Amino acid sequence: MANNLPHSLPERTFQYQSSLPSLPVPTLGISLSKYLDAVRPFASETEYKATLDIVKKFEVGVGEELHQKLLQRSKAKRNWLEDWWLDAAYLELRTPSQLTVNFGGPAPYLEHCWPPAEGTHLQRASIATWHTLQYWNLIRTETLPPQKAGKTALDMDQFRMLFCTCKVPGVKKDTIYNYFKAESEGPCPSHVVVMCRGRIFTFDALCDGKILTPPELLRQLSYVEKVCEGEPEGDGVSALTTEERTCWAMMAREALKGNPTIRWGDKSYNSLVFSDGTFGSNCDHAPYDAMVLVSLCWYVDQQLKATEGKWKGSDAVRAIPPPEELVFTVDEKTRSNIRQAKQQYLESTQDLQVVCYAFTAFGKSAIKERKLHPDIFIQLAMQLAYYKLHKGPGSCYETAMTRTFYHGRTETMRPCTEEAVNWCKAMIDPTCDVNARRKAMRLAFLKHSKLMADAQEGKGFDRHLLGLYLIAKEEGRPTPDLFMDPLYARSGGGGNFVLSSSLVGYTTVLGVVAPMVHHGYGFFYRIRDDRIVISVSAWTSYRQTDAASLFNNFSSSMHEMLHLATTSQL
């Protein structure tokens, strides 16, 4: 009988896109109630009463008007936030992208088969690039399985933006150009761009419709390195992409005559290959969120692990043309701009402190044995670490994924709850007994879990408030008092979170971001069965913050929490 059943067809990458639900608009009253909860830890009684009064007036006045207009917008768009978010969070920002917007770091290849070794970089780069091109082909042929949360399909649109995508600077607003197409949609760019010693080369990754093999890719990369060896460095036009966005746009108009989108842009994915055979990346955050890149890196990582980092196919090299150098015509003014951009970028990077440590005392297994959620455990340890180091609560952003909705990206989850702060106070109060600390920790866990679930279900409040703010702005209205209230920014609103944090996943892939604010931290982490690996960033010019000290306090907080959970499971 089983032989007579039809074979189910494999799922296509984008097959669920048309059936995904629209992004909902939360209830105004509930969003404002959550907002009041979120500002409470940062307010005195007098300040909180003033904010409460502002919020009540907003709810029955201009807030309700703006909310009704947002509901109207949501009827016309499957995702009312999508365009706004891209503009407000990324394209309209005028600060230099490379440090303040891009995420850096994610790359596999280290933990199992490719320890650092000088002279291996070209061989490894050819193999890693081949696996990366296989991933491009999976998306192009729509054979990459759609991702799911349990049995619920997730939006896969961001995977279109991983390749063949660049951001182009504008005087007031940048623009994203995306040339990717699935095979069913038509032809698609298939070239690779290689940058070496300030020079830029390109070659087609396909020959007769087939992806170049690692030996063929090795030939192309070797050609570029050989051409650049012993020669003066090139002009390094790419340094201009590190500039303030309006400045870069003006330079592009002056220096890069012709169509800059064909030969230059802020790329969605840059794979960095170092001389010791290790890898990194730098990626524009505007087109997609980090989990897309993590998915690519994890795929490559697992392919390398399965093949022991070796190419086991043919060593034959077809007759393929060598890479072509892209030569820019630059005048002395442009060269001066490039030198200035390099200097400014160097100074900025020297101000950024980044530490990456592995906490190896325990990991996911020990936490789950105590029936606790590993992510919430780490978030509370981070809260306690900040509280101990800075003698007070730190407004905190944690990424919540909203990809169960059409073109969903992220929502803000605010881990610095009143329950978390009360628990931190209990942990540093020597007069507080173990039972009181346990009870406080349990309440903090429950609150975090509820807020994260709400955010993932489209019931967060930060994006909702952003929508109301942007409607007021578009209509030329005065900025509502809610957004001018000092507590709005102090609690993290408007991109002012002191702790910018995210779980990168349960894989071997890790990344890093710069702090949102000068007095803040970036805190990214990945969770494994036996360890937690963390990257922490801070600005050295702000003397009161220190990434290493935050990690040390985080480590001690982890031990305190495990001990508390062990003596009596929550």
Side-chain angles (χ1 to χ4, degrees), residues 232-250:
E233 284 206 10
D235 290 313
V237 176
S238 61
L240 296 176
T241 64
T242 67
E243 274 282 13
E244 188 270 344
R245 300 306 298 174
T246 299
C247 181
W248 166 212
M250 301 298 286

Side-chain angles (χ1 to χ4, degrees), residues 193-204:
V193 174
V194 183
M195 301 171 68
C196 180
R197 291 178 56 79
R199 296 165 70 178
I200 304 172
F201 299 79
T202 184
F203 63 87
D204 198 331

Side-chain angles (χ1 to χ4, degrees), residues 74 324 443:
S74 72
E324 175 188 353
L443 291 174

Side-chain angles (χ1 to χ4, degrees), residues 278-354:
T278 59
F279 293 76
S281 65
N282 189 288
C283 308
D284 179 26
H285 204 330
Y288 62 82
D289 298 312
M291 292 315 297
V292 175
L293 185 67
V294 170
S295 299
L296 162 65
C297 291
W298 180 238
Y299 167 83
V300 176
D301 190 82
Q302 293 307 289
Q303 296 301 312
L304 289 170
K305 189 174 184 179
T307 58
E308 300 174 317
K310 298 171 184 173
W311 169 246
K312 298 178 181 179
S314 169
D315 288 332
V317 175
R318 289 170 286 180
I320 47 178
E324 175 188 353
E325 183 167 9
L326 303 180
V327 180
F328 292 85
T329 303
V330 294
D331 57 18
E332 186 48 45
K333 183 179 180 184
T334 304
R335 288 193 182 93
S336 174
N337 288 336
I338 292 169
R339 287 193 295 270
Q340 180 183 331
K342 284 180 177 177
Q343 182 60 33
Q344 287 179 346
Y345 185 65
L346 181 63
E347 290 171 4
S348 297
T349 56
Q350 287 175 340
D351 188 32
L352 184 64
Q353 176 196 19
V354 178

Side-chain angles (χ1 to χ4, degrees), residues 43 65 67-68 101 111 143 145 166 173 185 209 232 272 276 289 308 337 343 371 445 471 495 501 551:
E65 292 177 39
H67 180 68
Q68 290 303 319
V101 176
E111 292 202 349
T143 51
C166 62
K173 179 178 130 179
E185 298 167 334
L272 311 177
D276 64 354
D289 298 312
E308 300 174 317
N337 288 336
Q343 182 60 33
K371 297 181 172 57
F445 262 86
I471 287 180
S501 72
F551 175 80

